[in-house]
């Protein structure tokens, strides 16, 4: 379980999230929704430690409050799919997926990647349907293919916590459903905790157990996916500035 | 954020103002450039009157090139090649850690400051001066030449390495950091793979440059083909000097071809 207590996050001069509190159960799939620029990517950044809360605290079950001492342990159990993919253009798809295992290698090692890890990476590529592109430079791939390479780089770690920043944004609906099912089963059968930022509400409702709706830097909806009805959606996506106290 | 009166015209007005501001700066730039060129005496046309005649006389004296002593040039030629390649290799080895430390946001401040200082000093001292120093320190031959080239090239390569690393896309590095990869691992697995082609480019360019530069340091006693050229000039053997210059041209062209072949095989192979 991951707990956020009054977490506020600043980026540059402005505070993006103001005192967010919620709990995310283990082995569940949570969808984070909200208008563009509301702070969804920012929230994921706090969960993988790329951004530090300016106030409040994030706790992970088994580790306690996230601080310098346990951050690395937390990160080694975590994988993030980035909104902009964050791949290395001139490396092949397989090489990029292998980078998902880079925390297991010594930085100064000159040895080639171990056979077992190469196999793992190839299997992860197969899982996202890209095995035939394993040797292709990723800057020669389409947007959706690049996104799936990013997803494979996260899945190859077999993480306990999967953070996805619109991981299906550039993927066609059929494929998105397949990948969603695969992630769903990892959560159900392997106890992976999944937090996905999603723009397509219908897909979020089909895939997620819970929905967190962000509006104006705060949580405007937090509950079971089934309760995220039209009225709740209107509250999350309304453009008017109706800040709660 | 809400803009009140017509935001688009406001934006366009800002752009116009921006242009007017840079216009003054541009005029000043071109004016300064003109003054600087003039201060070198480039526009003093009376100085050029003798030039065509001197060039003509020199050309007449050195034509046709005299290749008769070519057997004696093989060794110096190899020496030049060896010292330039050895100098480049040593410089690359030294420039890699120094460049990494000097790169902004990569090295810790207390290390990046001295690294930058070393790079500046090695670069500021001309290769010829390094040559004189090393000839005094270790004697004549290609060793002082290689060391001189290494010292000067370290400064230049290190600075370029640092700059290339600073301009790498930080996103893949952030992605690896978010997995618990250490800063050293981020450098190795995310930054270096991105930068390798451009770093290889500057190393190869520097190797080409060093073949030419090796001729210059040869003049101060570091051996090689440079010494032969200077000697020929001193003996007024202009026809031999021209032959040597032609040989040098062939060598440099050969290195140029070799490095483009190398660039192609090392980097082109990864394209699918
Ligand atoms: N590096 C940064 N420095 C300062 N402000 C930033 C930075 N990155 C993002 N912001 C601001 O933070 C706010 C939230 O950004 P964030 O990327 O979290 O939005 P998002 O909800 O993920 O949006 P989208 O759906 O478009 O991806 C935005 O208003 C953005 O302008
Ligand atoms: Mg985002």
């Amino acid at each position: 379980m991951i707990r956020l207590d009054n977490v506020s996050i600043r980026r540059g001069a402005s505070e993006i999230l103001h005192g967010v509190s919620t709990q995310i159960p283990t082995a569940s799939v949570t969808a984070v929704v909200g208008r563009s620029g509301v702070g969804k990517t920012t929230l994921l950044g706090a969960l993988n430690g790329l951004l530090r809360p300016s106030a409040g605290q994030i706790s992970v079950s088994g580790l306690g409050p996230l601080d310098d001492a346990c951050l690395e342990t937390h990160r080694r159990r975590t994988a993030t799919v980035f909104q902009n993919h964050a791949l290395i253009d001139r490396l092949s798809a397989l090489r990029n997926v292998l980078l998902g295992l880079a925390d297991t290698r010594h930085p100064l090692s000159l040895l080639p990647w171990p056979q077992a890890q190469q196999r793992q990476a190839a299997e992860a590529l197969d899982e996202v349907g890209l095995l035939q592109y394993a040797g292709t430079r990723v800057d020669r791939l389409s947007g959706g293919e690049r996104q799936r390479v990013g997803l494979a780089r996260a899945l190859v770690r077999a993480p306990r916590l999967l953070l996805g920043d619109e991981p299906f944004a550039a993927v066609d609906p059929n494929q998105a459903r397949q990948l969603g099912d695969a992630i769903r089963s990892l959560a159900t059968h392997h106890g992976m905790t999944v937090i996905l930022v999603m723009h397509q509400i219908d897909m979020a409702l089909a895939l997620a157990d819970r929905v967190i709706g962000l509006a104006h830097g705060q949580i405007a909806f937090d509950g079971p996916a089934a309760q995220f009805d039209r009225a709740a959606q209107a509250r999350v996506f309304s453009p008017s500035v109706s800040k709660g106290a | 954020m809400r803009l009140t009166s017509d935001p688009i015209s406001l934006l366009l007005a800002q752009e116009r103002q921006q242009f007017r501001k840079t216009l003054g700066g541009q005029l000043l730039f071109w004016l300064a450039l003109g003054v600087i060129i003039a201060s070198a005496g480039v526009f003093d046309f009376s100085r050029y009157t003798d030039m065509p005649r001197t060039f003509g006389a020199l050309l007449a004296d050195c034509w046709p090139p005299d290749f008769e002593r070519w057997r004696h040039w093989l060794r110096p030629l190899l020496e030049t090649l060896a010292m330039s390649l050895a100098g480049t290799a040593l410089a690359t080895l030294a420039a890699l850690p120094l460049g990494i430390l000097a790169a902004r946001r990569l090295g810790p401040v207390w290390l990046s400051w001295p690294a930058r200082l070393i790079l500046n000093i090695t670069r500021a001292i001309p290769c010829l001066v390094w040559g004189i120093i090393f000839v005094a320190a270790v004697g004549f031959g290609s060793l002082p030449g290689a060391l001189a080239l290494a010292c000067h090239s370290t400064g230049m390569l290190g600075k370029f390495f640092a700059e290339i690393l600073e301009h790498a896309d930080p996103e893949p590095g952030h992605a690896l950091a978010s997995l618990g990869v250490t800063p050293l691992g981020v450098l190795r697995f995310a930054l270096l793979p991105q930068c390798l082609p451009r770093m290889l480019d500057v190393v190869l360019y520097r190797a080409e440059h060093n073949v030419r530069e090796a001729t210059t340091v040869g003049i101060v006693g570091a051996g090689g083909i440079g010494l032969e050229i200077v000697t020929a000039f001193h003996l007024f053997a202009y026809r031999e000097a021209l032959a040597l210059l032609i040989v040098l041209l062939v060598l440099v062209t050969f290195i140029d071809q070799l490095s483009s072949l190398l660039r192609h095989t090392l980097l082109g192979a990864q394209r699918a």
Side-chain angles (χ1 to χ4, degrees):
Chain A
M1 190 177 73
I2 298 169
R3 228 178 69 198
L4 283 79
D5 285 313
N6 263 312
V7 171
S8 299
I9 301 170
R10 307 188 67 86
R11 300 195 78 165
S14 48
E15 191 175 87
I16 307 298
L17 296 179
H18 323 292
V20 169
S21 300
T22 186
Q23 295 191 1
I24 293 153
T26 302
S28 68
V29 177
T30 303
V32 178
V33 299
R35 288 161 58 88
S36 177
V38 76
K40 304 181 296 291
T41 300
T42 304
L43 181 66
L44 290 193
L47 289 170
N48 64 28
L50 283 179
L51 298 173
R52 298 283 169 105
S54 51
Q57 173 173 290
I58 299 173
S59 325
V60 180
S61 60
L63 288 177
L66 269 193
D67 53 18
D68 287 336
C70 67
L71 180 62
E72 193 178 326
T73 316
H74 170 66
R75 284 178 153 182
R76 279 168 172 268
R77 300 172 178 176
T78 305
T80 308
V81 183
F82 288 83
Q83 190 167 14
N84 48 13
H85 319 321
L87 303 175
I88 297 181
D89 282 344
R90 56 173 287 271
L91 296 186
S92 69
L94 188 76
R95 291 258 153 183
N96 268 289
V97 175
L98 277 169
L99 290 182
L101 301 169
D103 58 325
T104 63
R105 292 204 84 197
H106 193 280
L108 298 180
S109 161
L110 292 174
L111 299 173
W113 288 88
Q115 206 66 33
Q117 294 193 328
Q118 298 206 26
R119 173 170 296 277
Q120 252 175 289
E123 282 166 1
L125 270 179
D126 199 16
E127 186 139 357
V128 299
L130 284 179
L131 191 56
Q132 75 269 33
Y133 291 124
T136 308
R137 282 173 61 131
V138 292
D139 58 358
R140 308 278 153 91
L141 297 179
S142 75
E145 287 160 351
R146 287 170 64 84
Q147 185 147 47
R148 277 141 69 199
V149 174
L151 187 59
R153 183 179 65 184
L155 292 178
V156 73
R157 301 170 61 69
R160 289 199 207 172
L161 172 63
L162 179 71
L163 306 172
D165 203 342
E166 300 180 33
F168 311 127
V171 176
D172 69 65
N174 245 332
Q175 214 133 37
R177 204 167 317 117
Q178 278 176 26
L179 293 171
D181 288 347
I183 288 175
R184 171 83 258 173
S185 103
L186 283 172
T188 314
H189 299 114
H190 294 89
M192 186 167 81
T193 308
V194 181
I195 303 174
L196 301 177
V197 171
M198 288 208 266
H199 264 312
Q200 313 95 312
I201 297 301
D202 46 342
M203 185 163 179
L205 294 182
L207 187 59
D209 308 303
R210 296 178 59 253
V211 171
I212 292 177
L214 292 177
H216 316 298
Q218 289 174 327
I219 291 187
F221 177 88
D222 187 357
Q227 288 173 18
F228 193 52
D229 54 18
R230 296 227 155 246
Q233 290 172 27
R235 238 183 308 133
V236 170
F237 290 99
S238 78
S240 67
V241 182
S242 56
K243 248 188 185 172
Chain B
M1 189 164 61
R2 293 259 158 81
L3 290 175
T4 43
S5 72
D6 190 9
I8 292 179
S9 3
L10 207 69
L11 185 72
L12 294 183
Q14 276 172 5
E15 291 286 314
R16 268 200 305 278
Q17 205 174 359
Q18 188 77 25
F19 174 72
R20 252 179 262 129
K21 245 187 257 166
T22 52
L23 193 67
Q26 275 189 28
L27 283 178
L28 213 63
F29 170 79
W30 289 112
L31 196 70
L33 199 65
V35 169
I36 289 166
I37 293 177
S39 74
V42 175
F43 299 129
D44 186 359
F45 294 107
S46 64
R47 304 266 308 260
Y48 295 119
T49 45
D50 268 352
M51 205 166 77
R53 201 165 357 111
T54 321
F55 272 15
L58 202 60
L59 260 178
D61 281 346
C62 66
W63 194 262
D66 173 9
F67 288 96
E68 190 159 351
R69 279 172 25 87
W70 67 271
R71 260 175 253 274
H72 299 275
W73 301 340
L74 288 181
R75 214 185 124 86
L77 214 58
L78 279 180
E79 263 176 26
T80 297
L81 199 60
M83 81 171 104
S84 51
L85 296 188
T88 311
L90 288 176
T92 306
L93 290 179
L96 197 60
L98 285 169
I100 288 167
L101 290 177
R104 251 163 282 272
R105 287 188 303 276
L106 275 188
V109 182
W110 59 274
L111 272 177
S112 73
W113 188 82
R116 239 170 275 159
L117 187 69
I118 294 175
L119 292 180
N120 283 341
I121 291 173
T122 49
R123 199 169 59 242
I125 298 176
C127 209
L128 210 59
V129 176
W130 279 119
I132 295 169
I133 294 172
F134 280 115
V135 166
V138 301
F140 294 104
S142 38
L143 174 64
L147 294 178
L149 290 170
C151 278
H152 189 63
S153 305
T154 297
M156 179 267 187
L157 285 179
K159 182 173 162 53
F160 272 84
F161 287 176
E163 228 144 80
I164 290 170
L165 286 166
E166 283 168 13
H167 289 135
D169 178 8
E171 295 288 338
H174 292 163
L176 290 199
S178 82
L179 307 176
V181 175
T182 59
L184 191 62
V186 169
L187 175 72
R188 158 76 200 282
F189 296 116
L191 290 181
L192 284 182
Q194 286 184 65
C195 296
L196 224 51
R198 263 167 296 163
M199 288 165 94
L200 187 68
D201 258 353
V202 294
V203 170
L204 289 176
Y205 169 75
R206 193 64 196 182
E208 288 164 40
H209 175 94
N210 277 349
V211 173
R212 278 167 276 142
E213 189 90 8
T215 321
T216 325
V217 287
I219 294 169
V220 298
I225 198 81
L227 198 57
E228 298 289 321
I229 294 175
V230 180
T231 313
F233 266 106
H234 282 167
L235 299 176
F236 303 108
Y238 293 129
R239 290 176 50 208
E240 195 176 317
L242 179 62
L244 279 161
L245 287 177
I246 290 172
V247 168
L248 188 67
L249 181 71
V250 171
L251 180 72
V252 169
T253 312
F254 169 70
I255 294 293
D256 196 52
Q257 293 296 316
L258 196 70
S259 83
S260 82
L261 185 76
L262 214 61
R263 199 171 289 153
H264 195 77
T265 41
L266 288 183
L267 300 177
Q270 291 183 2
R271 311 210 164 142

